[in-house]
Amino acid sequence: MKNNYPNRLCTMLMLSLLMVIGFVRPTPAQAQEASIVDIATSNDDFSTLTDALVHTDLVGALSSDGPFTVFAPNNAAFEKLLGTIGVEKITDLPVDAVAKILTYNVLGAEVFSTDLKTFQSAVTLNSEAIFVKKTAYGDVFVNSSRVIVADIEASNGVIHVIDKVLVPTEDQGNLATVLSSGLRNFSTLVAALEYTGLDAALAEGEFTVLAPTNFAFFKTLKVLVSSYFDDVGRERLTAILRYHVIEGKVLSGDLADSLSVSRLNGQEVSFTIGEGE
């Protein structure tokens, strides 16, 4: 008789893991009956999301035929956002603000993980785009939020659980706040802005930052932590950072071949648009 113990063990471990993080997928039969709202309201780890849906009167909309794709923040994701904003409950926020956030977490189409490309963008229900990246290791990121459970099927679409709430660009605050709000690959840049005092300058007005990653700092200056900034020198580091900041907001859609704009250091930067390989 064939020994199926390893397969049974793997199945048990996967089910245990899903139960620990609070998400057991509905069976196909259950999914045919349960809408996205039904699944959210029946799961304790979606209680804040449920409160948000009720608060904004979006329960009816997400109970309709759809189809929808919901990037659903769990309770821990909402706790991070509320802690950053400094409020206790999602219902303490204005209805229109919460509605803008929720509709930014929803697509008006059904998209499963198997439909994803390595890089792609999609327009959400609030008309602003999100950007999806699928890594070589199979991890999926939506903007900077990681998908922790994918492909929970519902009768009117699909749910992907994420570890951070997707917040529309216009509501993310100033650049310094955006850079420091969980984008770990820019931690050296955030520290450099604070070290030079340029974080205060970026807190007011509109700017475009050509943002060096942690690896870029290490590759160029051999710097990864702020304790080495003194070796670079405040004046030199300030000059480097000002070289990476453009006055005014320049979006990718604004770019044109040979477009030239002014940096904070007074020099011009030109863009060249070419075909990707």
Side-chain angles (χ1 to χ4, degrees), residues 1 3 28 39 53 65-66 93 116 138 143 166 168 217 226 251 254:
M1 181 181 294
N3 185 3
I39 293 172
L53 291 171
D65 292 341
L93 295 175
L116 296 179
N143 294 352
L166 299 174
F217 271 100
S226 56
L251 301 176
D254 301 325

Side-chain angles (χ1 to χ4, degrees), residues 255-269:
L255 298 180
D257 207 19
S258 301
L259 172 70
S260 184
V261 292
S262 296
R263 311 181 213 234
L264 276 189
N265 69 351
Q267 295 181 344
E268 297 283 310
V269 59

Side-chain angles (χ1 to χ4, degrees), residues 22-166:
F23 298 101
V24 177
R25 300 174 189 275
T27 66
Q30 290 172 325
Q32 301 231 339
E33 299 295 332
S35 70
I36 288 169
V37 171
D38 292 333
I39 293 172
T41 55
S42 64
N43 194 308
D44 290 342
D45 210 26
F46 282 142
S47 60
T48 307
L49 174 60
T50 300
D51 290 343
L53 291 171
V54 173
H55 183 52
T56 55
D57 200 24
L58 287 174
V59 170
L62 287 183
S63 298
S64 64
D65 292 341
F68 304 105
T69 296
V70 177
F71 295 102
N74 59 16
N75 287 350
F78 274 108
E79 286 175 11
K80 292 177 188 176
L81 176 64
L82 296 178
T84 300
I85 298 172
V87 298
E88 184 177 346
K89 298 180 295 183
I90 194 70
T91 51
D92 293 334
L93 295 175
V95 170
D96 59 342
V98 179
K100 284 167 63 179
I101 291 173
L102 289 181
T103 52
Y104 187 58
N105 285 253
V106 181
L107 303 179
E110 191 174 59
V111 182
F112 288 88
S113 60
T114 51
D115 301 323
L116 296 179
K117 303 173 185 176
T118 304
F119 296 100
Q120 62 194 112
S121 63
V123 178
T124 63
L125 288 190
N126 84 340
S127 300
E128 189 171 338
I130 55 171
F131 299 90
V132 181
K133 175 184 178 182
K134 187 175 183 180
T135 71
Y137 301 101
D139 293 323
V140 175
F141 290 86
V142 185
N143 294 352
S144 63
S145 302
R146 186 169 68 90
V147 175
I148 54 179
V149 180
D151 299 335
I152 301 176
E153 295 186 59
S155 62
N156 59 343
V158 61
I159 298 171
H160 305 295
V161 188
I162 54 176
D163 65 349
K164 288 192 295 186
V165 182
L166 299 174

